[in-house]
Amino acid sequence: MDNQRHRIILNELDKKGNVTVASLVELTGASESSIRRDLVELDHQGFLKRVHGGATLIPKVTQTIEDPLGKRQLLNADEKKKIAKYAAGMIEANDVVYLDAGSSTLELIEYLDQKEAHYITNGLMQAQQLTIKGFHVVCLGGEVRNITGACVGANTMKSLSRYHFSKGFFGTNGIDLMNGFTTPDSEEAAIKELAMERCQMSYVLSDHSKFNKVYHVTFGQINDAVIITDHCEKEIKEQATVVEVRD
């Protein structure tokens, strides 16, 4: 239940920028003391900043700071589940599938049941979860980024360049008409870009919160992949191929 409340608190904070203890009591039905404990725990984890009577978002000077994977898994969780379930259903027998590192593709694995496909990933957590579920998986290896668990660098690029994928599933930090798909880390962007080039079909999994956000490294334009989302604006749909998952 604590984890569910944490998710509700972070989603509310993401929408409004600040929250009060009283409003969270009303929203969750939890006691004031429980909410205060939640805020203390989330503050210690670096997800928010406690202030008198509530909490605020941690201020970010620029869109160069990347949220920890744990936080991204909590935010917009229901939307991510719908997107992931839809995407998992697109994988067919004999597909050679690239799975990007990140919270969206990690969620996709929860819904995978196609064991006749081959899975290649640069994500350590993705490789672990695929292995636990009994899938055929190759982890590309390389230098590991702590914040995402992604393998990056020259060794990863070299391994990746040997493969040809029928389908690839990617996460993104931001989507913007002018700047395309963006992410804060240049090495991770290089992996995403190369992998996308080597896919017959590329899919970007993104909930609505990623749109109109720009991070400082572009790894693809919005027409380089099909965007699978819960909702996006008309302007994006006019320029890109978009699948909106409602149920």
Side-chain angles (χ1 to χ4, degrees):
M1 184 60 185
D2 284 359
N3 200 49
Q4 184 179 351
R5 279 204 313 273
H6 289 181
R7 192 177 295 128
I8 293 169
I9 291 167
L10 290 172
N11 279 331
E12 187 73 359
L13 191 57
D14 196 47
K15 290 177 192 172
K16 296 184 175 179
N18 58 77
V19 291
T20 64
V21 171
S23 68
L24 293 174
V25 167
E26 184 177 349
L27 181 65
T28 64
S31 68
E32 185 174 315
S33 59
S34 293
I35 294 297
R36 291 190 186 279
R37 282 196 300 271
D38 290 338
L39 296 182
V40 168
E41 185 175 344
L42 291 168
D43 182 284
H44 286 163
Q45 293 174 7
F47 291 165
L48 52 78
K49 179 176 176 58
R50 276 195 307 142
V51 296
H52 181 70
T56 66
L57 285 172
I58 296 173
K60 295 180 180 178
V61 178
T62 64
Q63 294 278 45
T64 61
I65 301 170
E66 191 167 11
D67 287 327
L69 182 60
K71 179 176 180 179
R72 284 183 282 133
Q73 286 179 286
L74 290 173
L75 291 173
N76 302 303
D78 291 340
E79 291 87 343
K80 285 180 179 176
K81 289 179 189 300
K82 293 174 186 177
I83 293 165
K85 186 176 182 180
Y86 180 91
M90 301 176 71
I91 297 173
E92 302 172 300
N94 300 315
D95 271 338
V96 180
V97 180
Y98 180 77
L99 288 182
D100 185 30
S103 60
S104 297
T105 55
L106 202 56
E107 191 67 48
L108 182 153
I109 294 169
E110 291 294 314
Y111 298 96
L112 273 182
D113 58 9
Q114 182 50 265
K115 293 194 174 181
E116 300 291 319
H118 300 271
Y119 301 93
I120 295 90
T121 182
N122 73 319
L124 293 184
M125 292 182 69
Q126 282 76 3
Q128 180 187 45
Q129 291 304 309
L130 286 164
T131 302
I132 289 170
K133 293 188 70 172
F135 294 102
H136 180 273
V137 56
V138 173
C139 185
L140 294 174
E143 183 179 350
V144 181
R145 288 192 72 221
N146 290 340
I147 197 165
T148 60
C151 296
V152 297
N155 289 335
T156 311
M157 295 283 281
K158 185 177 180 180
S159 297
L160 179 57
S161 65
R162 297 190 179 109
Y163 287 93
H164 302 275
F165 307 105
S166 53
K167 292 168 185 166
F169 297 87
F170 299 82
T172 187
N173 296 81
I175 302 177
D176 177 77
L177 275 173
M178 292 283 292
N179 298 284
F181 304 117
T182 58
T183 190
D185 184 77
S186 59
E187 287 197 299
E188 200 155 344
I191 299 295
K192 291 173 183 282
E193 184 175 8
L194 178 59
M196 198 172 275
E197 289 172 358
R198 304 191 71 78
C199 294
Q200 292 178 21
M201 288 295 300
S202 296
Y203 302 90
V204 170
L205 314 184
S206 173
D207 66 76
H208 63 273
S209 69
K210 307 290 181 66
F211 292 97
N212 301 314
K213 288 186 177 178
V214 179
Y215 287 76
H216 68 290
V217 189
T218 294
F219 65 88
Q221 299 303 315
I222 61 168
N223 54 7
D224 289 340
V226 176
I227 301 170
I228 304 177
T229 185
D230 57 302
H231 175 70
C232 76
E233 297 172 357
K234 180 182 176 183
E235 290 77 12
I236 298 287
K237 287 187 265 190
E238 288 174 348
Q239 300 289 327
T241 303
V242 177
V243 176
E244 288 185 317
V245 182
R246 298 295 190 180
D247 301 316

